Amino acid sequence: MTDTNDTPVGSSWNSDKFIANLAKRKRSERRFRLIGLAAILTALTLLAILLFSIFSKGYTAFVQTYITLDITFSESVIDRDGTRDPEALRNANYARLVQDALRAKFPEVEGRRNLRTLFSLVSNNASDTLRDMVAQDPGLIGKTVEMPLLAGDDVDMVNKGYIDRNLAEENRRVKDQELRWLDILEEEGDLSLHFNTNFFTQGDSREPEKAGIAGAMVGSFYTLVITMAIAFPLGVMTAIYLEEFAPPSKFNDLIEVNINNLAAVPSIVFGLLGLAIFLNVAHLPRSAPIVGGLTLALMTLPTIIIAARAAIRAVPDSIRQAALGLGASKQQAAFHHVLPLSMPGILTGAIIGLAQALGETAPLLMIGMVAFIADIPGGINDPATVMPVQIFLWADSPERAFVEKTSGAIMVLLAFLITMNALAVLLRKKFERRW
């Protein structure tokens, strides 16, 4: 049936329905784009909030408050008999020199309690500084030298503005009397901020102003070296065997399934495995980088195997066939042709796996690397800790000064992780080949 214009009945209705459906699809597409854009903006906003929180609390960890005092290296305290015996100089009461300088600065302070409070303005690390100076230059004995000394953690927090001066005296750690002393020091130019070298050169300490990440950084280095030395060759060789030499069988299929499953196992399970094998069975030293490296190698191995297999699988079969056609053995084709061409992808996967291992805490807690370690480890068998565990320990400390130490250590760890991931991206872009 047609109308007077010979137009089929219902065609106008179909056209309107098509236009309506098209408009509906376009609206749906716009909504999807807006939802996707909102998701990206939300993620970026949350990331910005996280980074701002870390950086705003942590950047002050890279500077430290110092108090400048006139230190008199009195012979009556350091070298009573005048022999300049190195042992006697090392055992002298250098804290007395700091106390005498503070007494001279504030002669009106009396009473044991007030004097103890006055002496706490300067860190007890100052005596070690003076001891090292005399050991390097005994000629300082008998002289008076103006020098900056490390302040206590409470003084540092006040100077950085983390302790509110407007709070009632009973609600803050630093009392009014101490604030008056600090005001006098600041007016006379004896209160200053310097780059915190201790943060990068010292190990952990119960005193926040002396705590550093050097021990954790060295421990992380030893642990990652062992992880890389074990996981990388084993992972690559396993991937080559499974991709190039392993015949199809149910046993090999079972191995592949287990490797994929191991990559999704919670990291703390590997810590339990390391505790059972390396400590209880092999009796390796507890809290040592060698145990941490072996444990993290077990955790990183599946990641490296999967990445290496994907990189090897990406090499065209024509490369293999050409090598075999020219007389190369299957082993020569795999190691002389396939492996070099797949190495960029393998290195990328290995670096990402190591970056993941660098940020792990749970497996290392199970093998005892959560212990308080003040000394910098000298080898893979020495007690040590790593960066994530050090952050965990500082975050659990009650002192306010450890908050900025925690955030500062997170910033250093993030810098390492970003560097490693950037290196992976650069290696892949530089050596990647498109077939």
Side-chain angles (χ1 to χ4, degrees):
M1 181 183 298
T2 60
D3 58 12
T4 56
N5 295 325
D6 294 332
T7 302
V9 175
S11 63
S12 176
W13 179 84
N14 289 333
S15 177
D16 293 341
K17 184 177 179 181
F18 173 77
I19 294 174
N21 287 336
L22 182 60
K24 183 178 179 181
R25 289 199 299 268
K26 288 183 177 180
R27 287 195 300 270
S28 177
E29 182 178 354
R30 283 196 298 269
R31 281 197 304 271
F32 180 77
R33 289 182 178 180
L34 290 175
I35 292 173
L37 181 60
I40 294 174
L41 291 177
T42 302
L44 291 177
T45 301
L46 294 176
L47 177 61
I49 292 173
L50 174 64
L51 293 178
F52 176 78
S53 175
I54 294 173
F55 280 76
S56 62
K57 295 177 181 177
Y59 78 96
T60 54
F62 302 108
V63 292
Q64 194 75 19
T65 302
Y66 282 77
I67 296 177
T68 302
L69 296 174
D70 294 327
I71 301 297
T72 300
F73 293 90
S74 174
E75 293 181 352
S76 61
V77 176
I78 302 175
D79 189 23
R80 296 182 179 180
D81 54 8
T83 60
R84 301 293 174 91
D85 178 53
E87 186 67 23
L89 296 180
R90 196 161 41 246
N91 295 328
N93 186 10
Y94 290 94
R96 172 75 179 276
L97 302 181
V98 180
Q99 294 171 3
D100 290 343
L102 287 169
R103 284 173 180 260
K105 192 75 173 179
F106 301 97
E108 72 281 0
V109 180
E110 297 179 353
R112 179 177 298 179
R113 178 178 298 179
N114 292 334
L115 287 173
R116 188 184 299 115
T117 303
L118 176 65
F119 298 156
S120 67
L121 295 181
V122 177
S123 171
N124 54 24
N125 181 64
S127 58
D128 297 333
T129 302
L130 299 182
R131 180 181 291 107
D132 295 339
M133 291 180 62
V134 173
Q136 294 177 4
D137 184 13
L140 291 173
I141 299 176
K143 296 181 179 180
T144 299
V145 180
E146 182 181 83
M147 59 179 305
L149 299 175
L150 186 64
D153 60 306
D154 288 337
V155 174
D156 186 50
M157 291 295 98
V158 171
N159 194 39
K160 293 176 180 177
Y162 289 120
I163 295 181
D164 189 0
R165 288 170 170 257
N166 297 322
L167 290 176
E169 184 177 12
E170 61 271 11
N171 294 331
R172 48 181 158 81
R173 289 173 57 90
V174 180
K175 306 306 178 184
D176 291 341
Q177 186 181 39
E178 296 173 78
L179 292 179
R180 286 193 294 270
W181 293 336
L182 294 179
D183 290 337
I184 293 173
L185 290 171
E186 188 171 8
E187 290 174 2
E188 297 179 357
D190 295 329
L191 205 62
S192 57
L193 287 173
H194 297 267
F195 181 73
N196 189 7
T197 56
N198 290 334
F199 188 68
F200 297 98
T201 60
Q202 301 296 322
D204 197 9
S205 174
R206 300 296 185 189
E207 304 294 334
E209 72 274 8
K210 297 192 296 182
I213 59 173
M217 291 178 65
V218 174
S220 294
F221 172 76
Y222 286 143
T223 301
L224 285 183
V225 167
I226 295 171
T227 302
M228 185 68 172
I230 295 173
F232 184 75
L234 285 178
V236 173
M237 294 300 293
T238 302
I240 291 176
Y241 173 77
L242 292 175
E243 288 295 325
E244 299 294 324
F245 298 98
S249 66
K250 292 184 178 180
F251 178 71
N252 290 330
D253 292 340
L254 180 63
I255 292 177
E256 293 183 13
V257 170
N258 282 314
I259 289 174
N260 293 329
N261 288 336
L262 284 174
V265 169
S267 58
I268 196 169
V269 175
F270 292 99
L272 293 171
L273 182 62
L275 174 64
I277 296 177
F278 304 128
L279 294 183
N280 295 340
V281 176
H283 301 291
L284 293 176
R286 193 176 182 87
S287 303
I290 185 171
V291 180
L294 290 170
T295 303
L296 293 180
L298 294 177
M299 187 194 73
T300 309
L301 196 57
T303 303
I304 295 180
I305 293 174
I306 293 173
R309 291 188 64 187
I312 293 171
R313 199 180 300 122
V315 177
D317 285 336
S318 59
I319 302 293
R320 300 174 178 83
Q321 299 301 326
L324 295 174
L326 291 174
S329 66
K330 195 169 185 179
Q331 178 180 347
Q332 289 174 325
F335 285 94
H336 295 175
H337 300 277
V338 176
L339 182 60
L341 293 175
S342 61
M343 190 56 68
I346 294 174
L347 288 176
T348 301
I351 293 174
I352 292 175
L354 287 177
Q356 178 188 3
L358 178 61
E360 282 295 337
T361 304
L364 301 180
L365 297 180
M366 302 304 300
I367 60 172
M369 294 191 79
V370 70
F372 172 79
I373 307 295
D375 299 325
I376 299 175
I380 60 175
N381 292 319
D382 293 340
T385 187
V386 293
M387 290 288 292
V389 176
Q390 187 67 76
I391 292 170
F392 169 78
L393 292 173
W394 282 349
D396 197 42
S397 299
E399 289 87 350
R400 175 61 182 79
F402 276 120
V403 174
E404 68 169 10
K405 298 285 185 181
T406 302
S407 298
I410 292 175
M411 292 170 62
V412 175
L413 181 60
L414 285 176
F416 277 116
L417 294 175
I418 292 173
T419 301
M420 294 179 71
N421 283 278
L423 179 62
V425 173
L426 290 176
L427 286 175
R428 190 170 189 86
K429 286 188 174 295
K430 182 175 179 60
F431 298 107
E432 184 179 25
R433 295 189 180 185
R434 298 189 180 276
W435 311 102

